[in-house]
Amino acid sequence: MAASFTEIPTLPLAQARHPNTKAAFLENLRAALLNVGFLYLSETGLDEGLVEQVCVEGRKFFEELPTEEKLKIEMKNEKSFLGYSRLGNETTAQRADQREQIDLSTSHDVPSPDAPLYHNLLAPNQWPSSEYLPHFRPIIEEYIRQMSTISIFFTSLIAEALGLPPTAFDRFFDADQQHKLKLIKYPEMTPSLHLPDDAAAAAVGPAVDDEDDDVAESGGSSSKGGKGGRRGSLVAAGHEARAQGVGPHKDSMLTSYLLQASPQRGLQAQNTAGRWIDVPPREGTLVVAMGQGLEALTGGVCASTTHRVLSPLPGEGARYSIPFFQGVSYDARFESMEVPEAVRALRRDVLEKQGGRRDDVEFTFVKGRWGHLGEATLMNRVKSHPDVGERWVSNKFFLIVNPPEHISPCVVASSRPHTRHCPTHVSENSRVRQTS
């Protein structure tokens, strides 16, 4: 049986812009799509000064903006799922994520009252006050603009790598396509948490799915059966909730591009054997992950890889990251693209050699369950932010996504009466901001 991936490949985007090196780039990209679903993208063409400014403004948002100003733009204030989220307010794998963040996007007007419910995801941003952060908005908007161009170009390369025309994905984009961006802070695990010494770590035993301290320091990857190290022993000792910066998940839509804005480690990708592989920060790169939308549209050829972030240990300092999520039309329907059979066979061969695929996260972009990609996306947002979903989404849709056994009793008790409307359309009550 062939081994699954144990490291993340690096692809220089500049090679794709030159005819003499493009063919080699596409070959390497095809291998990354079929075997990994995760990659470092270097030589992106992003303005280096802009990247530095984005990192500075991101830190200022978390460290200098007063709490009362953050709460003025809290996500639950609007039905768009855009805005600020407090520490621990997002849920992944039914656990609170230990991160603070703001969600932004390509700006859109408020949708019409008769629009499908998922069109509420298209809306204006909630920006922090320019009185406190005068440069924040223009810098972030320019970064979104440049990343939009890069993501569309990269998607055309994915198409070519799969033997399709470079325009193959164009029909899934809106003319004013929305893309999203998060600014995230992962604080250190609490200093009061007891950190095991080497003897205590050995007593707890190996941490099956976590990095070894020595491996992490060398930039290598973890493997099952190795030493758990200090972080691994914390997880094995029952501190999983404290260690979850963000739990195991798959990104939505097509592709995402993560700018790791500080040197702290924590990002890990899960290979087909179920092992967690470290993805440490590398200067001048973006980490690209394939999304569930891409997997759905390519009939599973481009797998969306499960990943997570572990919280920094006490003394390591906060981790900052800035992921950009390439959008796709919410009105697009679930349909498989005509990926050549030879390419499909390559993916089947990879899985056969690796003994199949172990995955800790359910694939939610299932054809037949949802009519449009927007419905599946909204479902993911409601699962991640049940407080926003309970306030703004019709009760029927909310309870489909969050069965009573998975949500707080107080949320179920406060839910509105069942609506007669289709769960994919706005109910009259859901258009009115709740004051409770």
Side-chain angles (χ1 to χ4, degrees), residues 400-417:
I400 288 173
V401 175
N402 289 287
E405 63 271 19
H406 290 163
I407 55 179
S408 167
C410 63
V411 172
V412 177
S414 64
S415 295
R416 294 178 294 276

Side-chain angles (χ1 to χ4, degrees), residues 287-310:
V287 177
V288 183
M290 309 309 147
Q292 295 193 68
L294 184 64
E295 180 169 351
L297 295 177
T298 60
V301 172
C302 297
S304 51
T305 299
T306 295
H307 50 287
R308 68 181 182 184
V309 175
L310 301 178

Side-chain angles (χ1 to χ4, degrees), residues 256-278:
S256 59
Y257 304 77
L258 174 65
L259 172 60
Q260 300 193 79
S262 65
Q264 287 76 13
R265 294 170 177 269
L267 176 63
Q268 295 181 324
Q270 189 178 43
N271 68 16
T272 54
R275 298 188 179 98
W276 292 102
I277 307 302
D278 195 29

